Amino acid sequence: AVSAYIKALSLLSAKPKPTAARSMIVGSAGAPPEVPEAPPLQLFVRLGTLMLQLGRNDAARGVFLQGCDTWQTCSMWLGAGIALLRVDQLKESEDALMEANVRNNKDPVVWGFVALVCLARGDKVRVDQADRAIVQANRLGLADAALLRELANSYTALDLLESAEALFRRSLACESSAHTRRRLADVLSAQNSLAAAVNEYKAVIEANEDPSEMALAAGECEKLLVALGRSEEVSQIQALAAAIKAC
């Protein structure tokens, strides 16, 4: 799929498309040079998005920035902002996201990525800006589970655990995920909400969605049960994990 998109993009970028109407007007002799027809907007967006999904962030950056030369749209600038963020060009990413926001200030995903860039800067002023961006994103109905989880991870890295917890919960409300639930349990544990963390770790084990997440959850759950003086439940967790694994 990627190679097909790349081929289409290169062909459209390199070869002008003659039109019957133009031939009728200028004739075949002495005609001025054809102006290449711009590749379709969606071709750039789909190819750039595929590159991001494959982790080819430099290529995605090139595709989106090339697209921005022709298509001054929110989706194109958003893609450029995401790609630039992935290659740690924070200032350029922020500039691109501002361009996206100018074109559509009601896109919750744009506001979410604005917050992510601010959090990557890490200082208090930028964190305050991230907080305001997230308020706006939530007001507009941000429902991108992966982006919400990434924002939660960024807050966790800054030890802003209450904000992280709220975002992990919002991500789970959008889409069930063993990884997200385990990360929520980690944050609850870090806030000394041990009983609540145990419940979330148990939910990861019982969901039986991802063996690696189950193993991590079981290990942390056992530690917390001991800390809570509930050592008798450790064997139950071990038996539950073993039974699910055997199924």
Side-chain angles (χ1 to χ4, degrees):
V2 174
S3 60
Y5 276 121
I6 293 173
K7 183 177 180 180
L9 185 59
S10 63
L11 288 172
L12 284 168
S13 298
K15 297 181 67 175
K17 181 180 178 181
T19 63
R22 181 178 178 83
S23 298
M24 289 173 61
I25 292 169
V26 301
S28 58
E34 293 279 1
V35 176
E37 183 177 275
L41 168 64
Q42 287 304 314
L43 182 60
F44 278 111
V45 173
R46 289 172 183 170
L47 177 57
T49 301
L50 275 171
M51 293 297 185
L52 285 173
Q53 291 171 347
L54 293 170
R56 297 171 61 178
N57 298 322
D58 281 322
R61 175 184 57 180
V63 170
F64 281 117
L65 290 177
Q66 182 185 351
C68 288
D69 289 338
T70 303
W71 299 99
Q72 299 288 317
T73 65
C74 175
S75 60
M76 197 67 74
W77 282 112
L78 171 60
I82 295 170
L84 288 161
L85 173 62
R86 298 304 182 217
V87 296
D88 294 322
Q89 291 184 249
L90 299 184
K91 181 182 183 304
E92 293 82 358
S93 174
E94 189 170 17
D95 290 343
L97 291 168
M98 289 300 103
E99 293 288 347
N101 192 269
V102 165
R103 285 155 180 80
N104 181 4
N105 65 0
K106 297 188 183 302
D107 188 324
V109 174
V110 173
W111 284 106
F113 275 101
V114 167
L116 203 58
V117 172
C118 291
L119 291 170
R121 296 295 183 94
D123 60 83
K124 186 180 185 308
V125 172
R126 288 303 190 142
V127 170
D128 289 343
Q129 291 174 347
D131 291 342
R132 291 194 293 272
I134 287 173
V135 168
Q136 187 71 1
N138 288 338
R139 187 180 71 80
L140 293 168
L142 180 61
D144 185 322
L147 176 54
L148 287 162
R149 182 176 62 228
E150 190 171 2
L151 286 162
N153 284 330
S154 293
Y155 274 103
T156 303
L158 296 172
D159 202 32
L160 298 170
L161 302 181
E162 289 185 9
S163 296
E165 178 188 345
L167 286 161
F168 279 129
R169 290 189 184 281
R170 191 174 180 90
S171 177
L172 283 169
C174 296
E175 179 181 284
S176 178
S177 162
H179 177 66
T180 303
R181 191 169 298 282
R182 182 182 62 78
R183 294 293 292 126
L184 170 61
D186 292 342
V187 166
L188 289 169
S189 177
Q191 294 179 91
N192 290 318
S193 297
L194 304 188
V198 164
N199 291 337
E200 297 297 342
Y201 284 131
K202 284 183 176 179
V204 173
I205 298 167
E206 291 166 355
N208 190 22
E209 293 177 4
D210 184 321
S212 62
E213 294 294 339
M214 286 174 57
L216 290 168
E220 292 301 317
C221 188
E222 290 170 20
K223 294 176 188 176
L224 295 187
L225 287 171
V226 172
L228 287 166
R230 294 161 54 183
S231 300
E232 70 281 0
E233 296 180 43
V234 170
S235 59
Q236 297 173 13
I237 292 295
Q238 292 172 340
L240 175 62
I244 293 174
K245 187 176 181 181
C247 291

